[in-house]
Amino acid sequence: MRVNKKYSCLPAEEKGIHIINIRAIEDIGYDQHESTLLNSLSKNPDADCKYGLYFRDGKRKVDYILVYHYKKSSAGRTLTRRVHHNDSSARSTKQDQPLPGKGVQLEMGESEPHVDYHEDDKRFRREEYEGNLVEAGLELERDEDTKIHGVGFVKIHAPWNVLCREAEFLKLKMPTKKMYQINQTHGLLEKINSVIQKITEPIQPKVAEHKPQTVKRLSYPFSREKQHLFDLSDRDSFFDSKTRSTIVYEILKRTTCTKAKYSMGITSLLANGVYSAAYPLHDGDYEGENVEPNDRKLLCEEWASYGVFYKYQPIDLVRKYFGEKIGLYFAWLGVYTQMLIPASIVGIIVFLYGCATVDENIPSMEMCDQRNNITMCPLCDRTCSYWKMSSACATARASHLFDNPATVFFSVFMALWAATFMEHWKRKQMRLNYRWDLTGFEEEEDHPRAEYEAKVLEKSLRKEHKHKETDKEKLTWKDRFPAYLTNFVGIIFMVGLTFAIVFGVIIYRISTAAALAISSTPSGRSSVRVTVTATAVIINLVVIIILDEVYGCIARWLTQIEVPKTDKNFEDRLIFKAFLLKFVNAYTPIFYVAFFKGRFVGRPGDYVYIFHSFRMEECAPGGCLMELCIQLSIIMLGKQLIQNNLFEIGIPKMKKFIRYMKLKRRRSLDHEEHMKKKQRYEVDYNLEPFAGLTPEYMEMIIQFGFVTLFVASFPLAPLFALLNNIIEIRLDAKKFVTELRRPVAVRAKDIGRRSHLLEAVGNHGQQAEAFVISFTSDFIPRLVYLYMYSENGTMHGFVNHTLSSFNVSDFQAGTAPNDPMDLGYEVQICRYKDYREPPWSENKYDISKDFWAVLAARLAFVIVFQNLVMFMSDFVDWIIPDIPKDISQQIHKEKVLMVEVFMREEQGKLQMLETWKDKDKKKGENCNNHSPRLSRRHSGSLSSCHSYPLDV
């Protein structure tokens, strides 16, 4: 039986006195009822430490938690093990006493169960690492008497001197005593701002940090020599919980474990299973009765609730609780969602304009007019028959809703909207940098990742084995070449796989259309196009959702085998790979419909075939824009609904339920542990670990592409993106507050490489819009017909102008319809959509002059549209400064005030020196009144008096 687990030592102020734990006395042989009576009369120790938020003394706050697994002894149930580490005890017991957690082992008639080598090795590493943490100044307390079977917790507290030291090392800007007035607007702007504040007051969160401030504390990088500059009236709240956990995490990364000839920080220890988790604690519970007010509860009520979807986000409180990096993500998401409101309004207006003018659209009226009696050529060989153009009336009318003159205006508007959004975000980012004291902040190189250290160690050990002298090793491109080659081959393979799947869906569309054309029912034959399009889009959606998850995992794996040195390098490479794979996966089917479908069909009698049996599919008589709209809308809405919302809600709920069932099974085995209330660190351990912001940003960047790249085909895309983001903000907020462990706060002044991706998507969106309008829609052919071929200046005759004629006797052998009399009469001439010479022409079926005229107009429109939009975007970029004028003035004011503070401090020192010099001068005059011999005797003392204030 281990006796060391049955002892605990008192806090530092009572060191030297050790008391045997009551639980240990109970195990040795005391009566159960007596111990129960003693426990009932004593005060609940868990209440004193606020159930895990503080150490057992109820004074020292828990700043960080380390979690490890251990094997319990089979001789008895788990015994209490609480070990306190203090600075003084660490120094006194460094050599003579066992490492933290060892203690003395006594035999009481039973032999200790055998522990395997790996568990022993992990325990030794933990003991050395925790001893090094104590030497670094941290205070530790271990707890193995928990409700979770076989899991131990190490609570870490950073005392005041450690916080001051690390804050100076990290150059953390902290508020000083100096306060200054923030420049306020005057005159008309002040009245406008007051009116806006009154109007928006109901949608403002009820959070103190969100209220407009008129004064601000001057911030300065913390320095222990200049502590008198800072407001240290309340030391407990000077460093908030976010800052304390950041400081402790920096120490954890810097502290090493050097057993077995290698160095390991906390990242390596986590990777090797020495510790199973490391995380800061949440501030407390967010729901339930008698819950003390805390930031987490406030965030849950004013931010992470669907009932406050109409309110602004309390961004400053989010930053205070989660750190700048997560705060910037939600600030960016909020700005993006706000900017979608005007885009949604304009999109709705464009859509309503299409609805209002659909009955006045002459081309669709001509297509729906059965008196025209236009007979179209078959859509497939043999099985398909001739068909009437009026049967595509519904498609033609629906295409006008999205293919109308207002669509061009909307495309130009969205291009300018994208540029304005990026400029607005840059200005918002600078405001947040000023408010969060990040001006002048530069990210320093982070600690190496665990995988990088392991690879460097492996490389150095290989060189040592070869008896080579080794300096400080690092990984070169030669070491990473196999990983680079794997990345290149893997990405090419994934892109090829996406293309192959899209090609397979094309084959499915062609073969299904031919199969449905054999249907004996007229209704089945009439709905072939709708059925094929809808089922193919659903297949594309399912494949996109599955591959999106697969590509996310593959992108992370490809990044891991590259072994980036720091977390920042890892994140940058992961962002690029994930964006490339997910972009290709989401947009390849849309690009096919927009720019390739119907372009390489051929003509009747000379069609283009795939594998000599499948004829390339054609666009509908109304054009491919309607089909592009269906493709875009279903993929966008389905991806947002299923992947972004249901997955984010359902998967965490399912994982939480599985963990609950496992814990319930364990609790049934130990009823006594079940009756105890969980500590805060036990509750947080059961939450999901934070996996980074890359998936959150990726889904929003892909959505930004849907909104900007092909918005001409679907003007309602901004509206659906807005509705999704309103839910997404609260969903992500609820996930961060209630479902995830509290992440370590990370300082950041921008959103990193993601801003470059957004700018690239916005710039390429201009080009995509130009090509969609000119080549996918019928806007350019209509203009050409209206100004070059129309006899009366109207659109009458446009449909007939876009159709070419074909003599059915020119069909290739075996391609003519099996039932040529399906329409009830014999067809001599059928029509197809193309600009070609008629069969009675000398150069029959050749490309006509009309085709080249339309093509020239299309290319001219692309050039004009792209340059016009580019000029207007650059003009917006130039006219809107990245840094707001008032913010630049405030930053300059802060610099001036800081100089004044130091000048006053120097003047005070100089005045003190002058005062001391005057006193020394008077002493010197008194000395001159004595004999020269006496003055010489005191010359040394006078010089020392003059030197003393200079040293001070």
Side-chain angles (χ1 to χ4, degrees), residues 727-872:
I727 301 173
E728 181 75 21
I729 289 175
R730 306 303 164 181
L731 181 64
D732 285 346
K734 197 172 187 65
K735 181 172 66 174
F736 273 87
V737 174
T738 64
E739 302 288 343
L740 297 179
R741 294 174 191 162
R742 188 175 183 178
V744 179
V746 179
R747 288 188 296 169
K749 64 178 181 179
D750 52 35
I751 60 175
R753 296 289 179 88
R754 303 172 187 94
S755 60
H756 301 309
L757 292 180
L758 290 168
E759 290 178 353
V761 171
N763 293 334
H764 289 297
Q766 303 170 6
Q767 305 167 8
E769 291 293 330
F771 279 97
V772 167
I773 293 172
S774 60
F775 285 93
T776 308
S777 74
D778 282 339
F779 177 74
I780 299 302
R782 288 173 185 168
L783 284 182
V784 172
Y785 177 79
L786 185 64
Y787 292 104
M788 291 182 62
Y789 300 104
S790 178
E791 297 178 357
N792 52 7
T794 63
M795 294 301 296
H796 288 287
F798 170 74
V799 174
N800 188 59
H801 179 262
T802 58
L803 297 177
S804 299
S805 300
F806 177 74
N807 193 333
V808 297
S809 60
D810 294 331
F811 271 122
Q812 290 181 353
T815 61
N818 296 331
D819 187 9
M821 300 294 294
D822 184 60
L823 294 178
Y825 56 88
E826 186 179 358
V827 177
Q828 300 292 334
I829 299 293
C830 65
R831 311 293 296 276
Y832 61 99
K833 190 171 183 180
D834 204 348
Y835 291 99
R836 290 183 180 271
E837 296 290 343
W840 51 84
S841 173
E842 294 181 1
N843 304 315
K844 65 177 183 178
Y845 308 133
D846 287 348
I847 299 292
S848 65
K849 295 180 180 178
D850 298 342
F851 172 83
W852 300 111
V854 172
L855 179 61
R858 282 173 165 166
L859 295 176
F861 176 83
V862 169
I863 296 172
V864 172
F865 181 89
Q866 188 171 344
N867 285 276
L868 175 65
V869 171
M870 188 180 299
F871 169 77
M872 297 174 72

